Amino acid sequence: MPARRRGLDDLDLRVLRLVADRPRSGLLEIARLLGVARGTVQARLDRMAADGVITDYGPNLSPAALGYPVQAFTTLEVEQAAREHISRTLESIPELLEACIVTGPGDVWCRVAGRDNEHVQRVIDRMLTIPGVRRSTTVIALSTVVPHRVLPLAAADR
């Protein structure tokens, strides 16, 4: 859902930072730390959720801690007419962390996790059996320099 408004004010950003830094804190604790009423924090969170700024409150899971320490980025070249079927089939692969339709030499960019390089190879082989997938190009991630993040982007829009 696209945001209905552009930008966040200082209090919005402070609320988001605290929720990100202390995800297990309750509204009362966040309000106390910010020096505002609990209802103010609740209203801000509700508005940002309704506007599509906040998309999830779930825990962030570590693939490595779950036994999948190897991550790879695979670009699939696909038959355009089969994209919808390919997208639905990709959703059934649990090791697939993310997939995006992209521009450039490939068509679908996938981030996958595996127990080891051989497991990643089996995941890629499974993707290559999907009707309409022509070929793949894969790179293995050696380390994460900057993890997925959005909060700095929200603060930069000020």
Side-chain angles (χ1 to χ4, degrees), residues 56 58-62:
D56 188 13
N60 294 319
L61 306 178
S62 165

Side-chain angles (χ1 to χ4, degrees), residues 58-138:
N60 294 319
L61 306 178
S62 165
L66 293 171
Y68 299 85
V70 178
Q71 287 198 31
F73 301 93
T74 298
T75 303
L76 302 176
E77 291 180 22
V78 305
E79 295 172 13
Q80 298 302 307
R83 251 189 3 222
E84 188 175 323
H85 168 73
I86 291 166
S87 297
R88 282 194 313 272
T89 306
L90 286 173
E91 286 180 346
S92 71
I93 300 173
E95 298 89 349
L96 180 72
L97 303 177
E98 181 178 13
C100 302
I101 303 234
V102 297
T103 62
D107 300 305
V108 181
W109 177 87
C110 303
R111 184 163 61 110
V112 299
R115 289 185 289 280
D116 51 36
N117 287 350
E118 292 78 20
H119 184 208
V120 169
Q121 180 63 57
R122 287 192 302 276
V123 173
I124 295 164
D125 289 345
R126 182 174 175 192
M127 289 191 283
L128 288 170
T129 66
I130 300 170
V133 174
R134 289 189 212 132
R135 67 181 311 268
S136 70
T137 304
T138 301

Side-chain angles (χ1 to χ4, degrees), residues 135-156:
R135 67 181 311 268
S136 70
T137 304
T138 301
V139 295
I140 300 289
L142 300 177
S143 63
T144 300
V145 178
V146 178
H148 178 76
R149 63 194 187 142
V150 180
L151 197 52
L153 181 63

